[in-house]
Amino acid sequence: RDPWSGNVALPGGGQEPGDLGSDEATAARETLEEVGVDVLDPTKPWRRLGRLVDDRLVLVGGRAPLVLSMFGFATEHDVTPALTPRPQEVAEAWWVPTSDVVGDEDASSSSSSSDGGRTTIADEHRLGWRVLGLETVAFGRILRERPRLLGVLRALGFHRVRFACVALPPPPDQKRGAGVLSHESPFVLWGLTLSCVSDAARRAVGAPLVGRGARPPFDRPVRPDVESRL
């Protein structure tokens, strides 16, 4: 179990010697291992979209920076490929239409961001906030090891952090009685995965979901909770 266990994410992982230094080979291998889809099978109708994102991450503790890359593959077959999640790594796997995440390219449902960029329909009804306690966020371990700092933050009213997220439709086997989309449900796209998807949308159509160029307040995807006095 790692800090990202239990979250919705795309297939992925670290490079291994058998990948021969190829980031695309790493992405393809991880996809095959985790959900059973071989996107490099020459007999299948997969089209390579190439490298969509290269995000440089600065890690705490003096560790070397990490580059997180995302590769895209498009199926050119009418039948949606079956997913076979690997139980040791993946609890569930399901397809989500791109329009459910980044919206439709429909001028009637688009709006303008603060810097003149475009936002999409997904901003209007799917983007929301996931609220987590200080101890549960990525830097929670550091705070737990520094109780004085944690006490000062709490005294200032900084108890929780809000993260931008996109509400996703649940897996097909859970749709019955699932109700409306909820940003409090476990089926939300957030954190590094949302950042990568947003950067891919920025590159493709100039319409990021979060971060620089996105519609406020999602131009700042990580914020103190509204009850904070900071």
Side-chain angles (χ1 to χ4, degrees):
R1 186 175 177 84
D2 56 45
W4 299 277
S5 293
N7 293 308
V8 174
L10 301 173
Q15 195 166 93
E16 297 183 356
D19 300 327
L20 302 178
S22 168
D23 294 337
E24 184 185 61
T26 301
R29 175 184 52 76
E30 290 285 349
T31 301
L32 178 60
E33 290 177 356
E34 294 184 3
V35 297
V37 174
D38 188 356
V39 294
L40 295 184
D41 185 344
T43 66
K44 300 293 176 63
W46 287 99
R47 177 164 52 91
R48 297 181 181 181
L49 302 181
R51 189 186 301 267
L52 304 181
V53 170
D54 263 339
D55 281 351
R56 184 180 178 86
L57 309 178
V58 178
L59 304 178
V60 298
R63 290 179 292 174
L66 175 70
V67 176
L68 183 63
S69 302
M70 184 168 76
F71 287 80
F73 300 86
T75 180
E76 298 180 340
H77 197 283
D78 293 336
V79 178
T80 302
L83 299 176
T84 307
R86 184 182 184 186
Q88 298 92 328
E89 297 189 63
V90 180
E92 292 194 75
W94 72 104
W95 292 102
V96 175
T98 305
S99 59
D100 280 0
V101 180
V102 300
D104 296 313
E105 293 188 70
D106 183 347
S108 65
S109 60
S110 296
S111 58
S112 296
S113 64
S114 57
D115 67 348
R118 289 186 298 158
T119 56
T120 63
I121 191 172
D123 292 304
E124 304 299 331
H125 67 287
R126 292 191 184 276
L127 269 170
W129 299 97
R130 182 176 188 179
V131 182
L132 297 176
L134 280 179
E135 298 91 336
T136 62
V137 297
F139 49 84
R141 179 181 59 82
I142 298 175
L143 292 176
R144 288 192 298 272
E145 294 173 353
R146 294 167 174 79
R148 289 186 179 180
L149 174 59
L150 182 59
V152 169
L153 291 174
R154 286 175 170 169
L156 292 171
F158 191 5
H159 298 276
R160 300 182 298 181
V161 182
R162 292 191 299 161
F163 293 87
C165 66
V166 174
L168 299 175
D173 62 348
Q174 298 192 28
K175 279 193 172 181
R176 181 175 298 177
V180 298
L181 296 175
S182 170
H183 298 104
E184 301 301 324
S185 83
F187 309 118
V188 295
L189 197 66
W190 72 297
L192 290 176
T193 306
L194 176 57
S195 176
C196 283
V197 172
S198 178
D199 286 346
R202 182 198 311 276
R203 176 179 174 181
V205 297
L209 294 172
V210 297
R212 177 177 51 85
R215 175 177 60 87
F218 299 107
D219 54 336
R220 290 177 54 202
V222 180
R223 294 171 175 264
D225 187 47
V226 291
E227 297 178 0
S228 172
R229 294 190 293 273
L230 289 182

